[in-house]
Amino acid sequence: MGNDKVYNLEERTFLFARECRLLVRDLKKTISNIEDGKQLVKSSGSVGANYIEGNEKLGDKDLKFRLKISRKEAKESEYWLKLLRDLNEKHIERIEVLIEEANQLKKILSAIINKLK
């Protein structure tokens, strides 16, 4: 994900989901990694999917609802990443970058939601 921040949020959420999938692919195939990885794949993909759906809004209420789901999925992704980090010493730095990105996505989504109020 490098130091170059992507300011297009659709692209940024796509890159986040892609990097999470690449991480899961590279983890040792333990029961916990497989199960936590499945959850991470689902939640990380939902961040962007719900953001995109919100952009095709049916109204402000729908947009706000989709953005809140997207933020919730970013929080959930952070949770799974923390579990994976604590059980995969070999990938700590890589996972820390993804945890920080999940946190940044939460903040961005919260700012957008707060502007809609």
Side-chain angles (χ1 to χ4, degrees):
M1 290 192 73
N3 290 334
D4 299 326
K5 288 292 179 191
V6 176
Y7 293 101
N8 174 329
L9 202 50
E10 284 189 22
E11 179 68 12
R12 191 165 172 176
T13 58
F14 170 82
L15 292 173
F16 174 68
R18 186 190 73 189
E19 291 301 316
C20 287
R21 282 156 175 74
L22 292 172
L23 169 71
V24 169
R25 181 191 68 188
D26 295 343
L27 295 175
K28 187 176 176 186
K29 304 302 180 222
T30 65
I31 291 173
S32 62
N33 281 348
I34 290 168
E35 293 304 316
D36 295 346
K38 284 180 186 179
Q39 295 296 326
L40 175 61
V41 166
K42 290 177 186 178
S43 62
S44 66
S46 291
V47 175
N50 280 287
Y51 176 74
I52 290 167
E53 272 192 59
N55 283 337
E56 301 299 322
K57 65 182 179 173
L58 302 174
D60 286 341
K61 191 174 181 181
D62 182 58
L63 171 61
K64 193 172 183 179
F65 175 71
R66 297 290 175 191
L67 291 173
K68 284 183 175 182
I69 292 173
S70 186
R71 181 180 61 187
K72 178 186 81 67
E73 296 293 344
K75 288 179 184 179
E76 184 178 333
S77 295
E78 186 177 8
Y79 174 81
W80 297 116
L81 285 162
K82 286 179 178 179
L83 280 172
L84 289 167
R85 175 199 60 200
D86 290 355
L87 298 172
N88 291 278
E89 289 181 19
K90 180 180 171 187
H91 299 280
I92 286 177
E93 289 179 24
R94 187 174 174 193
I95 296 171
E96 286 291 342
V97 169
L98 290 170
I99 289 170
E100 179 57 29
E101 182 64 1
N103 194 18
Q104 290 298 314
L105 290 170
K106 284 187 319 189
K107 289 177 182 178
I108 292 166
L109 292 163
S110 289
I112 295 169
I113 291 165
N114 289 335
K115 285 182 182 179
L116 292 174
K117 291 183 180 180

